[in-house]
Amino acid sequence: MYRTNAMICTCTNCISNGSLQVKEALEAEILKQGLQEEVQVVPTGASGLCVRGPILMVQPEGIFYQLLKKEDVAYLVKEHFLKGRPVKSLMYYPPGEETPIPKMMDIPFFKDQRLIALRNRGVIDPEKIEEYIARGGYMALSKALTSMTPEEVIQEIKASGLRGRGGAGFPTGLKWELCRKAEGEPKYVICNADEGDPGAFMDRSIIEADPHSILEGMAIGAYAIGACEGYVYVRIEYPLAMERMKKAVEQAKEYGLLGSDIFGTGFNFEVKIFRGAGAFVCGEETSLIASIEGKAPEPRMKPPYPIQSGLWGKPTNINNVETWANIPVIINWGAKPFSQMGTETSKGTKVFSLAGKINNAGLVEVPMGITLRKMIYEIGGGIPNGKRFKAVQTGGPSGGCIPESLLDLPVDYEELAKAGSIMGSGGMIVMDENTCMIDVAKYFLTFLDGESCGRCSSCREGISAMLEIVTNITEGRGREEDIDFLQELGAVVKDVSLCGLGQTASNPVLSTIRYFRDEYLAHIREKRCPAGVCKELIRYSIDPERCSGCLACVKACPTEAIVGEKEEPQSINQDKCIKCGACLEACKFEAVIVK
């Protein structure tokens, strides 16, 4: 028994910021101070506040340390673990404030969250099944196998109101029921962990923090559906998630929680891990199935749906990571507590990855129906540097951009659809006043143009055509009639494309036209980018009244376009200027002007 647990985050983000070096230094310093019998270092998955990693949480006090470096460790160990004096300088400071918040539970980012899918984040070692079991892990599987019929399990999931968290929001219990009733043997379950949205990291973080919760959910689903084999489809860019899932499968088999005759009930269930190739289209379920079968990952016409004819032509149920992670909680609690959270049509909680121009970027889990305002300003801490919020893009590259006027929109499947966006898998990218919305539409169209599998012409040609028109607008070649044509073309691509990628690809264009038409008109009529982003429409200059001649801009300029004597106003050679913005970022006197 240890008096203190030092929970060091070892998610992908914290590792990239040096958490393994911090962990190594912690273990060495604790040994050096003779505290190894009192203080235990525990590697965990993501705590959620990823932008401030490496993160260390000290339990049982709940003290939260951020942005740690290995050089901080010796002082931290002596002060906190040896002398009992928490180190204020390493704690969390809210933006613009001088007083730290010591405890994690008091930090606004965490205190309004409700954790179901993320229930074990930051509190267990994801590579030890014993810690998952100690937190009640696999109790739901035991309950389902030993005291419930498959039909009762399905009924419980239906009554909970759980909808698939991967994008479309189809009722999970109904999907399971249809798959169970479908003709054909064997049946399969698949966990879709092919998370390809830019800025999204929900599925990766859940697997890295709590892989057994997914395996337990899959085993319950397999029992309900009548499957004895499952696949976890993990994209190749997630090596840590894949490694932890592999260990989890091995441990579950060792403990008899996967394999033959689980809990002595005669139920058999095996799980295989499949490494996806990293194509965005593989997130579409029929493409994913084709990929597992060794074929080109292209979508096919539906119906038949995978629950009727899926992997190897057999009934197959696919849910994403977050959906599976919810299942054990619903079985343990019963449907009612889960269904009491959220809105009338969207029950439970949802995991979002907050990214972009926001102070507290990271992973959050909140009840359905929370407003965008609360998400962005209370949990996310608002916009950096006091800038004004402009829009939030939800649902990944195929989602829409929601403006400031809709900040009080409750977030659920129906409300987002009314606003011209989608829930998607939970990506949420925040944009500030310096964001050009036409440039945003161009960015997502460029991504989708590159990721389209090209099978249907409406997606292949439609996205390319929209991208060409939007590019022309950002480069000063737009025509006023382009706006109406984009809307018509976007509607056609939406209606006739084969899969979800094409059917939602128009959303960034249509939503930005819907809410930011004035910006399109400024680009077209005035050849002006109001946000100062589109290079062909802007010009950098230096205000001689504000320029101090400090030469910071000169040093930052990669093309030597800025000239002038020290302590004298500088000027920009327009022939050399590549409009990279380096001078703007370097200037502390707001002397660089963009028009």
Side-chain angles (χ1 to χ4, degrees):
M1 180 71 74
Y2 296 89
R3 68 172 168 86
T4 297
N5 285 310
M7 319 295 286
I8 178 76
C9 181
T10 56
C11 73
T12 293
N13 185 68
C14 282
I15 287 176
S16 67
N17 285 320
S19 72
L20 293 182
Q21 290 80 4
V22 172
K23 175 176 175 286
E24 186 178 336
L26 261 176
E27 291 168 336
E29 190 64 26
I30 286 169
L31 188 63
K32 180 180 175 182
Q33 298 298 333
L35 297 171
Q36 65 272 20
E37 302 298 326
E38 301 176 51
V39 181
Q40 177 182 220
V41 178
V42 180
T44 72
S47 66
L49 197 51
C50 310
V51 73
R52 296 179 183 272
I55 300 291
L56 174 70
M57 190 164 64
V58 180
Q59 297 287 21
E61 304 104 302
I63 303 296
F64 183 87
Y65 291 119
Q66 61 168 11
L67 300 170
L68 289 180
K69 300 182 180 65
K70 62 181 181 181
E71 292 80 9
D72 300 323
V73 169
Y75 182 69
L76 175 66
V77 169
K78 287 176 187 172
E79 285 296 303
H80 192 149
F81 299 148
L82 204 57
K83 300 176 183 177
R85 300 189 300 216
V87 180
K88 289 185 178 180
S89 61
L90 298 176
M91 293 177 181
Y92 172 82
Y93 283 74
E97 296 189 18
E98 297 180 354
T99 303
I101 300 178
K103 293 189 177 182
M104 179 178 177
M105 60 182 294
D106 296 326
I107 297 173
F109 179 84
F110 294 104
K111 71 178 185 181
D112 289 323
Q113 294 192 46
R114 183 71 188 274
L115 304 184
I116 295 180
L118 301 177
R119 59 193 175 278
N120 289 324
R121 75 175 185 189
V123 295
I124 65 169
D125 182 343
E127 298 189 11
K128 291 183 177 176
I129 190 172
E130 297 84 358
E131 297 199 11
Y132 180 71
I133 292 172
R135 293 268 299 171
Y138 289 105
M139 284 183 59
L141 179 60
S142 172
K143 179 181 177 181
L145 296 188
T146 61
S147 65
M148 301 174 76
T149 66
E151 290 78 9
E152 287 172 336
V153 171
I154 290 173
Q155 184 54 42
E156 201 72 45
I157 301 302
K158 287 177 70 176
S160 75
L162 176 67
R163 297 170 66 172
R165 301 304 197 230
F170 193 82
T172 303
L174 176 59
K175 192 174 186 179
W176 288 16
E177 185 174 59
L178 293 171
C179 193
R180 178 170 181 78
K181 290 179 179 177
E183 294 184 0
E185 297 287 344
K187 294 175 180 174
Y188 298 97
V189 295
I190 295 176
C191 174
N192 184 350
D194 190 70
E195 183 178 50
D197 299 2
F201 46 92
M202 298 79 63
D203 291 351
R204 188 199 75 203
S205 296
I206 295 173
I207 296 176
E208 289 180 358
D210 197 13
H212 285 286
S213 67
I214 300 145
L215 292 178
E216 186 178 8
M218 290 179 69
I220 293 168
Y223 170 69
I225 291 162
C228 58
E229 189 173 341
Y231 286 82
V232 180
Y233 188 100
V234 187
R235 68 189 295 109
I236 194 170
E237 290 93 339
Y238 289 177
L240 182 60
M242 190 174 300
E243 184 62 31
R244 287 184 177 166
M245 183 57 79
K246 282 181 181 176
K247 285 185 180 177
V249 170
E250 291 168 3
Q251 291 171 349
K253 291 179 76 170
E254 288 175 9
Y255 275 68
L257 300 167
L258 290 177
S260 302
D261 195 24
I262 299 171
F263 288 119
T265 61
F267 172 63
N268 307 321
F269 184 54
E270 298 282 352
V271 172
K272 297 177 181 176
I273 299 171
F274 192 93
R275 187 176 64 177
F280 180 68
V281 73
C282 288
E284 198 280 334
E285 56 186 9
T286 60
S287 296
L288 184 151
I289 287 171
S291 177
I292 294 177
E293 292 175 340
K295 302 172 184 172
E298 295 177 348
R300 62 163 170 79
M301 290 289 289
K302 292 182 285 188
Y305 295 96
I307 55 170
Q308 301 161 314
S309 179
L311 188 62
W312 318 118
K314 303 299 181 182
T316 302
N317 182 87
I318 302 178
N319 288 120
N320 83 328
V321 169
E322 185 183 345
T323 310
W324 289 120
N326 272 289
I327 300 299
V329 176
I330 294 171
I331 297 299
N332 275 330
W333 288 1
K336 190 173 181 180
F338 186 88
S339 66
Q340 289 175 333
M341 291 183 287
T343 66
E344 184 64 30
T345 56
S346 301
K347 304 296 186 183
T349 60
K350 179 74 190 79
V351 179
F352 293 96
S353 58
L354 272 178
K357 302 295 179 62
I358 192 159
N359 280 312
N360 295 330
L363 203 67
V364 302
E365 183 173 6
V366 292
M368 291 279 197
I370 190 172
T371 65
L372 288 170
R373 186 184 300 280
K374 189 161 187 172
M375 285 277 287
I376 292 165
Y377 283 97
E378 295 185 27
I379 296 175
I383 312 302
N385 304 315
K387 292 187 177 177
R388 186 175 178 179
F389 168 85
K390 187 169 189 177
V392 59
Q393 204 260 4
T394 69
S398 301
C401 297
I402 301 172
E404 185 180 18
S405 61
L406 295 180
L407 267 175
D408 292 314
L409 185 82
V411 178
D412 71 10
Y413 292 97
E414 283 70 27
E415 293 299 322
L416 287 174
K418 287 179 192 173
S421 189
I422 58 174
M423 180 76 76
S425 58
M428 195 170 276
I429 300 174
V430 180
M431 305 166 199
D432 68 12
E433 59 189 88
N434 295 130
T435 305
C436 171
M437 302 313 296
I438 297 86
D439 186 64
V440 167
K442 185 174 76 170
Y443 168 80
F444 286 117
L445 285 172
T446 302
F447 175 84
L448 294 169
D449 188 47
E451 293 293 335
S452 172
C453 73
R455 183 171 182 184
C456 63
S457 58
S458 56
C459 178
R460 182 183 67 242
E461 304 298 336
I463 293 175
S464 292
M466 287 191 287
L467 175 59
E468 182 178 348
I469 295 168
V470 169
T471 300
N472 283 340
I473 294 173
T474 61
E475 294 179 355
R477 300 188 299 273
R479 302 169 302 172
E480 204 154 327
E481 57 267 32
D482 287 343
I483 298 177
D484 289 338
F485 183 68
L486 278 172
Q487 289 180 304
E488 292 173 14
L489 180 58
V492 171
V493 172
K494 199 168 195 168
D495 289 341
V496 302
S497 290
L498 194 59
C499 77
L501 189 152
Q503 291 161 5
T504 55
S506 310
N507 284 339
V509 174
L510 297 179
S511 63
T512 50
I513 291 176
R514 177 176 174 181
Y515 297 117
F516 302 94
R517 179 179 283 264
D518 287 350
E519 282 198 35
Y520 277 87
L521 292 174
H523 282 71
I524 293 169
R525 291 176 180 170
E526 305 168 33
K527 309 300 179 192
R528 179 176 65 88
C529 175
V533 172
C534 297
K535 287 185 178 180
E536 283 73 8
L537 304 180
I538 60 174
R539 182 177 186 273
Y540 283 79
S541 61
I542 294 178
D543 183 348
E545 299 295 324
R546 292 185 175 181
C547 181
S548 67
C550 69
L551 305 186
C553 58
V554 176
K555 294 173 184 173
C557 180
T559 60
E560 299 181 346
I562 303 176
V563 295
E565 299 295 325
K566 188 176 182 180
E567 298 183 357
E568 295 290 334
Q570 307 296 297
S571 62
I572 298 178
N573 182 337
Q574 298 298 328
D575 293 333
K576 288 187 174 181
C577 179
I578 59 172
K579 303 170 185 175
C580 64
C583 55
L584 183 67
E585 293 181 10
C587 182
K588 298 178 180 177
F589 303 97
E590 298 183 348
V592 178
I593 300 168
V594 185
K595 285 186 177 178

